[in-house]
Amino acid sequence: MSLPDLIHRPRRLRKTPAIRRMVSETTLSVNDLIYPIFVDETITEPLPIASMPGVSRIPLSAVGDKMTEVASLGIPGVIFFGIPKEKDAIGSGGWDAEGIVQQAIRAAKKASPETCVIADTCFCEYTDHGHCGVLHGDEVDNDATLANLQKEAVSYAEAGVDIIAPSGMMDGMIAAIRTGLDSAGFKDLPIMSYAVKYASAYFGPFRDAADSSPSFGDRASYQMDPANSREALREAMLDIEEGADILMVKPGLAYMDIIRSVKDATDLPMAVYNVSGEYAMVKAAAEKGWIDEKRVVLETMLSFKRAGADLILSYHALDVARWLNDD
Ligand code: PBG
Ligand code: ZN
């Protein structure tokens, strides 16, 4: 039997490392990374998070050193989450000038002025019921929450934050925050919108980390149904109209198709959140020796880029930066 004469042989371009480098379509850089940091007002020593090996809540006193470490690795930005001493029904700690995130922002900008400080802007860490806004009965009251988001965003701005990142999936949150910031004189402060955020089981470990589990019910009346992708485009478009500067898709791994379709339909920089459950799964399998952690993580990061993400929020960011710097 004769073999066909092959005209096309894609393997020709896989022959040597140099050729492979020349035809590589996607690159991963330390510039793509944003590192999430949990700052806890109730502790004086770092507190490891059991479901997120390698990640700890840190006290305010440790923020400066953490920023120096991040900067020395070349990572351009961090995002803060706060665990406050006191919580209440409306999450008023979110706009306390002496709140834990406000203090963390000031400490961070002092230790590393050149590093971009982002603040997750929501209320689930500040409310005693763990929902992302003000309750009206058992429902999160959208518009009452918008008024509080304006106060929270302005308060973070006054503390010196570089980017506001609202994550609560309230309708109109970008317009409300933009109006609030502008009227307080912060016209140039960018908003990174958690535009497309699903009601996901992958947030499990984060809720231990940030002490932000809802005390009843779930977030399905404000976060998106994992079944929906056209709705993702609608959410993205609304946020663009309202003035978002950067869009985010969250979670990452199970939503690669969403990253691609939002990227194709929009022209803003786009971030993906490689969330706590994605991190925990990799860590657990690596601890068992079942996967090669470095290779799996670098492949995942590259795949986020290939899918269309420009920025990656990840708990692996410090390790990824070390690996990239070493190679
Ligand atoms: C707050 C918020 C959450 C995450 C980021 N911001 C939790 C949630 O919506 O329940 C999840 C991040 C992660 O899982 O790593 N709204
Ligand atoms: Zn929230």
Side-chain angles (χ1 to χ4, degrees), residues 122-124 132 167-168:
C122 197
F123 291 106
C124 44
C132 296
S167 64

Side-chain angles (χ1 to χ4, degrees), residues 228-240:
N228 296 352
S229 69
R230 279 175 304 171
E231 190 186 351
L233 295 183
R234 182 163 153 73
E235 284 284 2
M237 292 307 173
L238 289 172
D239 283 6
I240 291 172

Side-chain angles (χ1 to χ4, degrees), residues 36 38 52 79 81 120-125 130-132 165-169 194 197-207 209-210 212-214 219 222-223 248 250-251 273-279 313 315:
F38 300 98
M52 300 175 71
I79 180 164
F81 298 91
D120 184 90
T121 304
C122 197
F123 291 106
C124 44
E125 291 120 43
H131 278 286
C132 296
S167 64
M169 290 298 282
Y194 285 69
K197 178 173 175 182
Y198 289 90
S200 173
Y202 285 94
F203 304 156
F206 173 95
R207 294 184 186 166
S212 64
S213 289
R219 305 208 201 288
Y222 40 106
Q223 298 178 348
M248 194 197 298
K250 180 183 171 198
Y273 204 135
N274 174 218
V275 299
S276 57
E278 299 169 29
Y279 176 87
L313 292 82
Y315 306 101

Side-chain angles (χ1 to χ4, degrees), residues 95-215:
W95 61 88
D96 177 353
E98 293 308 316
I100 184 62
V101 169
Q102 286 82 350
Q103 294 191 66
I105 293 166
R106 291 194 289 264
K109 291 311 292 184
K110 194 166 165 215
S112 181
E114 71 280 10
T115 304
C116 176
V117 172
I118 306 168
D120 184 90
T121 304
C122 197
F123 291 106
C124 44
E125 291 120 43
Y126 297 102
T127 53
D128 49 20
H129 46 73
H131 278 286
C132 296
V134 178
L135 292 183
H136 190 94
D138 278 357
E139 284 289 309
V140 174
D141 183 328
N142 193 86
D143 296 15
T145 302
L146 292 184
N148 292 345
L149 278 170
Q150 292 180 313
K151 291 187 263 186
E152 185 176 48
V154 169
S155 174
Y156 292 159
E158 286 169 345
V161 83
D162 295 301
I163 298 183
I164 295 290
S167 64
M169 290 298 282
M170 294 300 121
D171 293 336
M173 67 182 184
I174 303 305
I177 289 173
R178 187 72 272 156
T179 304
L181 290 174
D182 289 358
S183 48
F186 297 102
K187 290 193 162 61
D188 290 328
L189 199 68
I191 301 174
M192 173 192 282
S193 177
Y194 285 69
V196 181
K197 178 173 175 182
Y198 289 90
S200 173
Y202 285 94
F203 304 156
F206 173 95
R207 294 184 186 166
D208 299 335
D211 187 26
S212 64
S213 289
S215 60

Side-chain angles (χ1 to χ4, degrees), residues 285-318:
E287 270 178 18
K288 294 222 176 232
W290 291 348
I291 58 167
D292 177 333
E293 180 177 0
K294 175 179 171 181
R295 289 192 56 206
V296 164
V297 170
L298 288 175
E299 181 179 333
T300 301
M301 298 294 137
L302 190 67
S303 298
F304 287 138
K305 294 291 302 290
R306 192 196 60 240
D310 302 295
L311 295 165
I312 304 165
L313 292 82
S314 179
Y315 306 101
H316 296 291
L318 301 182

